[in-house]
Amino acid sequence: MTINEKIQKLREEMQREHLAAYIFTSTDPHNGEYVPEHWKSREWISGFDGSAGTAVVTMTSAALWTDSRYFLAAEEQLRGTEFQLMKLKMPETPTIPQWIHSQLTMNNEQLTEVAIDGSTNSAAFVEELIEELRKEGGLTLRTNYDPLRFIWLDRPPIPTNPVELHPLKYAGEDTTSKLRRIRESLRQQHADGMLVSALDDIAWTLNLRGSDVHCNPVFVAYLLISTTKTTLYVNSSKLSLEVKAYLADCGVEIDDYDKVQQGLKDYFEYNILLDPNETSYTLMKAVRREIVRASSPIPTMKIVKNDTEIEGFRRAMVKDGVALVKFLKWLKGEAPSLPPPDGGGVRRLSELSIAEKLTAFRAEQPDFQGISFDTISAYEQHGAIVHYEPTPDTDIPVENRGFLLLDSGAQYRDGTTDITRTIALGPLTDEQRHVYTLVLRGHIALSRAIFPDKTAGTQLDALARQFMWRDGMNYLHGTGHGVGQFLCVHEGPHQIRMEWKPTPFVEGMLVTDEPGLYLAGRFGVRIENILLTVAAKETEFGRFLQFEPLTLCPIDTTPIVREEMSPEEIAWLNDYHQHVFETLSPHLNADEQAWLREATKAF
């Protein structure tokens, strides 16, 4: 079916149900960053495949809201359909309730009921939407109807990939201990139990991994924890006899994934903790006991890595570093023979082929389990698009000049990696060199920071932006996020960003350090390492922490404007490069060692 044919089929269902509008979001029942194909309803109805967006269909019109990352892509993908693009954060863009009300008023519609799938949207989101709709002409919201059950005839099934054990040699803490800590935290919040919906929290708690979600080693399930009982709601065909025996030894019972709603209705304790930002509206409404509305305690446990996990990260960084050195040696060797800007010669390399080559080098490493997110391989003007990912339609060749921004990561059994390097492929402009130096100085300033124990990330954010701010420049994304241990590459709740994020930093937390600058239509620069939070010193003023870079990869020194760097910054860069060489060189052959020695020589 074409998009317009899908809209017509939807309207036939809406007419039968007397609905004024239907809202399709980008979420799934587990509120994950990546959504399995089964729940990509917004993409199916609209044709827009960006990671963020909301589609709305009335009986006479259709619109799609998305952010600035996807304005160009959305315009292209929506062309020829009924969908009108609504650009988020633009002053002329109405909210979804405002737009629905205006469409109904304009067409003299008598219907007032709007619908959304309550099972795939968080309670917090739906409750806010109910209030906003009520303010717009008394619109009401229905949450128990999914029309795609009747019109999406070739809908992919919910994934049923096998679940695997994540051994204690990688996890460092057994499931029994984790459940004990979770229950203790629940007692402190005066809660008898909790429902865990977040897939990475379930995988971490049970020391299990899966492959149901793109780039994330998690599996579709729910986990219900009470004072004396733990139940995993999952498709049991995913579990081997070994996994079932393991869960039984941990005291974890197994029930069907589809029975979680009934499990909540039958929940026998006095109260239950439900995170309204994590739990779907449908499941929240199924509970018959007192609800403690609070954040799950699991994320703040998960983000503090134990000694075993930290050592795993160190091993993963060596493997990733070896792969990156091999790749950079190859790329830098190819750069001089790339076509010049005048277009002469045969174009042999493109953004997409470079990304594929990097993945191939990583795949040679032990315990490689795939990439941790889709590689951002962005040449020159594409580098100014913060979340650009090359596709066959957008792929462009690279030349022997300018910048290639490469943001990539890998999943290894002992750790997850995330690294960005901006690479000079040839001559650069003075502007490019200056912007690169500003970003590098911000990266170094954050990496060198010493700060009081329990400092929040927002208090550190200005360190990475100070030099670019002096030049009247800035970037709008966060400076740092947590990273999972063979889990999701984006892990919270701690972050380093301008917006207030109160989660304090403590020893054992990982965070990325990734300032950047993006000049629309010209180029972008970003430099990223993963940092480990460690003890720095203790004085009469208290305990202080600092960061230790875990990422092992040379930073391109050819674009640096030396005169703009301080002696302390140059010393940090030289010390970092010496550490990279000493750690990686034993794992490289003679030619690779020679290349790395040159790439990490004192600046």
Side-chain angles (χ1 to χ4, degrees), residues 379-386 403 405 422 429-439 468 471-477 516-526:
Y379 179 62
E380 287 289 79
Q381 68 271 23
H382 282 171
I385 305 172
V386 177
F403 278 140
L405 191 159
T422 303
T429 66
D430 289 344
E431 180 183 48
Q432 286 176 314
R433 297 179 67 233
H434 174 62
V435 166
Y436 184 93
T437 306
L438 286 176
V439 172
M468 55 185 74
D471 263 23
M473 307 175 83
N474 196 17
Y475 55 95
L476 299 182
H477 61 73
L517 282 174
Y518 312 93
L519 282 70
R522 286 175 280 172
F523 64 93
V525 174
R526 186 162 64 250

Side-chain angles (χ1 to χ4, degrees), residues 79 84 155 181 222 254 259 286 340 367 380 514 524 534 557 586:
R79 187 172 292 122
Q84 173 189 359
R155 187 172 190 169
R181 287 205 289 141
Y222 291 98
I254 300 168
K259 292 183 179 179
D367 298 320
E380 287 289 79
E514 49 181 309
V534 298
T557 58

Side-chain angles (χ1 to χ4, degrees), residues 266-325:
D266 296 339
Y267 178 79
F268 58 89
E269 303 274 12
Y270 175 74
N271 64 23
I272 183 171
L273 184 147
L274 295 177
D275 186 336
N277 293 303
E278 175 185 311
T279 310
S280 75
Y281 182 78
T282 298
L283 293 184
M284 184 81 82
K285 299 298 284 187
V287 176
R288 297 170 177 173
R289 301 291 181 174
E290 179 182 309
I291 295 175
V292 178
R293 295 171 67 100
S295 297
S296 165
I298 297 175
T300 53
M301 297 178 184
K302 185 168 85 260
I303 60 176
V304 180
K305 312 305 179 189
N306 59 49
D307 291 344
T308 301
E309 290 174 313
I310 291 170
E311 287 309 307
F313 268 105
R314 294 189 192 281
R315 293 192 301 271
M317 294 300 173
V318 170
K319 288 177 279 198
D320 212 47
V322 168
L324 286 160
V325 166

Side-chain angles (χ1 to χ4, degrees), residues 87-375:
K87 298 180 177 181
L88 286 172
K89 297 186 178 181
M90 296 292 106
E92 69 277 8
T93 302
T95 66
I96 289 172
Q98 288 170 345
W99 181 82
I100 293 174
H101 182 254
S102 70
Q103 297 301 302
L104 299 183
T105 302
M106 184 171 57
N107 293 285
N108 295 314
E109 290 281 354
Q110 301 304 308
L111 298 173
T112 60
E113 188 170 55
V114 179
I116 194 171
D117 186 354
S119 71
T120 60
N121 289 275
S122 73
F125 173 79
V126 173
E127 289 164 356
E128 182 178 354
L129 182 60
I130 289 172
E131 288 301 313
E132 291 176 351
L133 287 168
R134 185 176 293 135
K135 294 175 183 177
E136 296 294 335
L139 297 175
T140 60
L141 187 66
R142 179 178 173 182
T143 61
N144 64 348
Y145 178 60
D146 177 11
L148 298 191
R149 289 184 300 157
F150 308 105
I151 62 177
W152 190 357
L153 301 181
D154 59 347
R155 187 172 190 169
I158 296 174
T160 57
N161 299 324
V163 174
E164 299 179 350
L165 298 175
H166 185 57
L168 193 60
K169 68 178 182 178
Y170 298 131
E173 181 183 11
D174 63 40
T175 291
T176 302
S177 172
K178 290 178 179 180
L179 287 171
R180 183 171 59 250
R181 287 205 289 141
I182 291 169
R183 287 188 170 106
E184 174 58 31
S185 179
L186 291 174
R187 281 194 294 271
Q188 292 174 6
Q189 299 186 67
H190 305 290
D192 297 323
M194 70 176 292
L195 177 71
V196 188
S197 297
L199 301 186
D200 58 329
D201 288 356
I202 296 170
W204 176 84
T205 301
L206 299 180
N207 286 340
L208 297 174
R209 298 292 187 268
S211 58
D212 284 349
V213 180
H214 179 57
C215 294
N216 296 278
V218 297
F219 55 96
V220 174
Y222 291 98
L223 188 66
L224 183 58
I225 302 172
S226 67
T227 55
T228 59
K229 184 178 178 182
T230 305
T231 304
L232 177 66
Y233 292 91
V234 66
N235 184 333
S236 61
S237 68
K238 302 159 67 72
L239 309 180
S240 66
L241 292 177
E242 180 186 23
V243 171
K244 288 179 179 178
Y246 161 78
L247 290 171
D249 288 343
C250 295
V252 178
E253 299 180 7
I254 300 168
D255 206 342
D256 292 338
Y257 177 75
D258 293 334
K259 292 183 179 179
V260 63
Q261 191 168 350
Q262 187 61 48
L264 287 171
K265 291 179 180 178
D266 296 339
Y267 178 79
F268 58 89
E269 303 274 12
Y270 175 74
N271 64 23
I272 183 171
L273 184 147
L274 295 177
D275 186 336
N277 293 303
E278 175 185 311
T279 310
S280 75
Y281 182 78
T282 298
L283 293 184
M284 184 81 82
K285 299 298 284 187
V287 176
R288 297 170 177 173
R289 301 291 181 174
E290 179 182 309
I291 295 175
V292 178
R293 295 171 67 100
S295 297
S296 165
I298 297 175
T300 53
M301 297 178 184
K302 185 168 85 260
I303 60 176
V304 180
K305 312 305 179 189
N306 59 49
D307 291 344
T308 301
E309 290 174 313
I310 291 170
E311 287 309 307
F313 268 105
R314 294 189 192 281
R315 293 192 301 271
M317 294 300 173
V318 170
K319 288 177 279 198
D320 212 47
V322 168
L324 286 160
V325 166
K326 292 174 182 286
F327 164 79
L328 289 172
K329 178 179 179 294
W330 166 81
L331 180 63
K332 286 287 192 175
E334 291 288 312
S337 60
L338 291 172
D342 61 13
V346 179
R347 298 184 184 276
R348 295 180 298 153
L349 293 180
S350 69
E351 295 168 325
L352 206 52
S353 67
I354 286 172
E356 292 167 350
K357 187 71 173 180
L358 175 54
T359 299
F361 276 115
R362 281 184 163 125
E364 296 174 357
Q365 294 301 308
D367 298 320
F368 176 75
Q369 301 296 301
I371 57 176
S372 57
F373 58 96
D374 292 316
T375 299

Side-chain angles (χ1 to χ4, degrees), residues 474-486:
N474 196 17
Y475 55 95
L476 299 182
H477 61 73
T479 302
H481 59 81
V483 181
Q485 197 264 339
F486 186 33

